[in-house]
């Protein structure tokens, strides 16, 4: 991945629907070059998916989860990624091991998700932070 790939990715991170012609104008190359690079980065797994961010009025939260020692956090993360309200699962360093970014219809749904996590045998504790405001960076 070179500087041009990074510049293309930065544009797509802000708006995955940006037309290739517009990206090409911004980075100073042809539309075909942008298209080829996006296709290559998708095939190589650099770009995992294109997604939509919404302002639904839902409650968004960050749920930090600590698990027992010698637990495969990848396995737990994969299971939690299947939960409907979970947008992202991050394996992290520090006191917590896994962070969920949650988009739920209301606080009751967030609480139910937290309870679901706490019921898992390998989960030691959770810490939740409601997301009050969000800006695209």
């Amino acid at each position: 991945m070179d500087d041009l790939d990074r510049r293309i990715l930065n544009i797509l991170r802000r708006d995955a629907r940006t037309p290739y012609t517009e990206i090409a104008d911004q980075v100073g190359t042809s539309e075909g070059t942008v298209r080829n690079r996006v296709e290559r980065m998708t095939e190589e797994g650099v770009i995992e998916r294109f997604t939509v961010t919404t302002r639904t009025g839902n409650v968004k939260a960050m749920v930090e989860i600590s698990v027992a020692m010698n637990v495969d956090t990848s396995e737990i993360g994969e299971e939690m990624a299947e939960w409907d309200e979970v947008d992202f699962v991050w394996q992290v360093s520090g006191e917590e091991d896994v962070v969920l970014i949650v988009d739920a219809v209301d606080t009751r749904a967030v609480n139910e998700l937290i309870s679901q996590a706490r019921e898992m045998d390998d989960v030691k504790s959770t810490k939740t932070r409601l997301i009050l405001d969000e800006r695209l960076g």
Side-chain angles (χ1 to χ4, degrees):
M1 196 164 76
D2 62 13
D3 184 58
L4 181 57
D5 288 341
R6 286 184 195 85
R7 291 169 51 210
I8 292 169
L9 286 175
N10 283 336
I11 293 168
L12 290 173
R13 276 190 196 106
R14 291 185 181 274
D15 184 357
R17 292 184 55 191
T18 304
Y20 291 158
T21 53
E22 187 176 321
I23 296 171
D25 287 344
Q26 290 182 40
V27 300
T29 191
S30 70
E31 180 271 342
T33 297
V34 171
R35 179 178 308 281
N36 289 338
R37 285 177 178 251
V38 170
E39 287 175 8
R40 178 183 47 78
M41 288 188 282
T42 302
E43 289 169 3
E44 291 175 354
V46 172
I47 297 174
E48 293 181 353
R49 64 185 177 136
F50 294 88
T51 186
V52 174
T53 302
T54 61
R55 295 202 185 270
T56 58
N58 288 354
V59 175
K60 293 190 178 187
M62 180 171 58
V63 181
E64 302 172 12
I65 299 168
S66 295
V67 299
M69 205 60 140
N70 299 322
V71 171
D72 183 357
T73 54
S74 294
E75 191 174 301
I76 287 177
E78 285 178 23
E79 182 176 343
M80 291 176 172
E82 297 298 319
W83 298 349
D84 289 338
E85 297 86 359
V86 174
D87 282 345
F88 296 97
V89 176
W90 300 327
Q91 292 181 47
V92 297
S93 61
E95 291 180 36
E96 284 74 27
D97 303 295
V98 176
V99 174
L100 308 179
I101 302 300
V102 175
D103 186 350
V105 69
D106 56 22
T107 55
R108 179 175 297 189
V110 173
N111 194 44
E112 289 171 3
L113 183 131
I114 294 165
S115 295
Q116 186 176 354
R118 288 180 177 166
E119 289 171 1
M120 296 177 74
D121 292 336
D122 294 325
V123 171
K124 290 189 337 186
S125 66
T126 64
K127 185 187 313 180
T128 304
R129 302 167 194 261
L130 293 181
I131 298 171
L132 302 176
D133 193 18
E134 188 174 49
R135 298 280 183 257
L136 184 60

